[in-house]
């Protein structure tokens, strides 16, 4: 299973989102390190809207997602941008 598929599955099962987009942004980071050409699954952006986030602070939402995806982060996922919202909250996406 790809890292992206694993992220999508875990987020769906844990938070039952009404909107979910997992974007592989690895290509945007090519050249940041001499040995990195931007291929693979190292940098992701998660945009998730779920009722489970209602009443949670931004930090609590980020902690919940980071805790859930800790195995992926330990296995080589280098960067994870999280945009989490509850239904009805304004988003920029």
């Amino acid at each position: 299973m790809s890292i992206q598929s694993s992220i999508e599955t875990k987020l769906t099962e844990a938070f039952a989102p009404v909107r979910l987009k997992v974007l592989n942004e690895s290509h945007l980071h090519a050249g940041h390190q001499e040995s990195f050409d931007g291929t693979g699954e190292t940098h992701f952006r998660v945009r998730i809207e779920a009722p489970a986030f209602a009443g949670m602070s931004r930090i609590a939402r980020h902690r919940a997602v980071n805790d859930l995806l800790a195995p992926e982060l330990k296995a080589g996922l280098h960067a994870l941008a999280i945009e989490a919202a509850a239904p009805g909250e304004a988003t920029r996406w």
Side-chain angles (χ1 to χ4, degrees):
M1 177 182 292
S2 71
I3 292 173
Q4 183 166 352
S5 295
S6 177
I7 292 170
E8 290 168 347
T9 299
K10 285 184 170 189
L11 291 172
T12 299
E13 290 174 358
F15 300 111
V18 294
R19 257 193 327 168
L20 175 64
K21 186 72 175 178
V22 178
L23 305 162
N24 184 341
E25 296 184 338
S26 300
H27 65 283
L28 299 175
H29 300 274
H32 288 184
Q33 293 179 350
E34 187 176 319
S35 62
F36 184 61
D37 64 1
T39 60
E41 295 183 300
T42 58
H43 296 72
F44 282 93
R45 177 173 303 276
V46 170
R47 292 179 172 158
I48 182 169
E49 180 181 334
F53 295 129
M56 292 174 71
S57 70
R58 182 176 176 196
I59 292 172
R61 293 170 186 185
H62 283 231
R63 284 183 180 148
V65 172
N66 278 318
D67 289 348
L68 180 69
L69 300 179
E72 286 75 11
L73 289 162
K74 289 178 184 170
L77 177 58
H78 176 72
L80 181 64
I82 302 167
E83 299 174 26
E89 293 179 347
T91 62
R92 294 184 290 166
W93 42 277

